Amino acid sequence: LDALQGRLPKPALYIRACELTAASGHCEFYLERQIPAWCGRMREAIDFALTLHEELRAGHYQLDKNSHLVGGRATATAEALFAAVAIGEIDLAKRLFVVATDPSLYFHEIFNVFRVWALGLWLHDERGALGDLLAHHAYAEGLRGGYVQAFRGLLSKDSAALTSGLKDMTRHEWELWQDPDRVRGLGVINLGAVALSRLALDSGVMVRIPGPTVPDEIVASA
């Protein structure tokens, strides 16, 4: 079994491909402002994440050696999920959420697990469960606090709360992506804020775009 699994692409390669594809798409959009091209790059990135989680679920990789990738723990998984919503592919987002998560691994104290489940619960109309998750993290600060406030604003159709949460998200994530050990191009467009802004417009909630990492034309294309 080890020999057979050794012939497969390393799971880390899927993660790297997902992150680099999304990052290059963001940078290309910043230069060219071409929405169709950007959406195409996001679909490519999402496909890498989806393939990885399908392979993990099929048992092609040992879960104990890749526990940092399962259940929504990986940053690439979260970015891919929000990217699917950002490009308007809701069914694709639902599919990725289902294959990437497991109720038995609902460890939402982990930040990426938290934001993956928050979005997944919204997409599957589990408003009560989402409210309970947000209540559990009601006093969170920093980046998690921004996500909590933004989702609360979305749930309650509170434009001011949503906008405030998006501002915190963009500010803290911009600081996060300055780390040279990360794929810094992922910070050029804030997929979380873009996705939530599009969901807000779909729900009839007005939102103010918080900054250049949330391009007006992408949000307006909803």
Side-chain angles (χ1 to χ4, degrees), residues 7 15 34 86 102-104 157:
R7 298 177 188 175
I15 293 294
Q34 296 295 317
D102 188 317
S104 66
K157 296 185 180 297

Side-chain angles (χ1 to χ4, degrees), residues 83-98:
V85 174
I87 64 175
E89 298 279 358
I90 301 301
D91 288 341
L92 179 59
K94 289 180 177 180
R95 179 183 171 192
L96 177 57
F97 174 76
V98 169

Side-chain angles (χ1 to χ4, degrees), residues 29 33 86 159-171 188-202 205-222:
F29 177 83
R33 316 304 287 191
S159 177
L162 175 61
T163 299
S164 179
L166 292 176
K167 287 181 178 178
D168 284 344
M169 287 169 58
T170 54
R171 177 167 59 88
V188 173
I189 292 180
N190 191 306
L191 289 169
V194 170
L196 286 171
S197 296
R198 292 197 61 160
L199 290 176
L201 292 180
D202 289 343
V205 182
M206 295 300 297
V207 59
R208 290 185 179 180
I209 302 303
T213 58
V214 188
D216 292 312
E217 54 263 58
I218 291 179
V219 175
S221 68

Side-chain angles (χ1 to χ4, degrees), residues 4-132:
L4 289 172
Q5 290 176 334
R7 298 177 188 175
L8 298 173
K10 300 295 184 185
L13 294 177
Y14 286 106
I15 293 294
R16 190 70 172 170
C18 175
E19 293 180 340
L20 290 175
T21 301
S24 65
H26 295 344
C27 294
E28 289 162 6
F29 177 83
Y30 183 80
L31 295 172
E32 305 293 339
R33 316 304 287 191
Q34 296 295 317
I35 293 178
W38 178 76
C39 289
R41 296 293 274 170
M42 293 308 103
R43 289 189 187 94
E44 291 177 23
I46 295 163
D47 188 58
F48 283 119
L50 185 61
T51 299
L52 169 62
H53 286 292
E54 287 175 340
E55 294 288 290
L56 287 167
R57 187 169 286 274
H60 294 169
Y61 296 104
Q62 291 176 294
L63 295 183
D64 59 333
K65 293 183 178 180
N66 297 285
S67 60
H68 60 293
L69 302 178
V70 301
R73 290 181 172 97
T75 296
T77 302
E79 292 294 301
L81 184 64
F82 280 91
V85 174
I87 64 175
E89 298 279 358
I90 301 301
D91 288 341
L92 179 59
K94 289 180 177 180
R95 179 183 171 192
L96 177 57
F97 174 76
V98 169
V99 76
T101 61
D102 188 317
S104 66
L105 299 174
Y106 188 35
F107 304 131
H108 53 79
E109 294 297 339
I110 300 170
F111 172 64
N112 282 320
V113 176
F114 160 74
R115 63 175 179 152
V116 162
W117 272 91
L119 182 56
L121 291 172
W122 173 271
L123 294 177
H124 286 89
D125 295 320
E126 297 287 347
R127 301 295 191 260
L130 176 57
D132 291 342

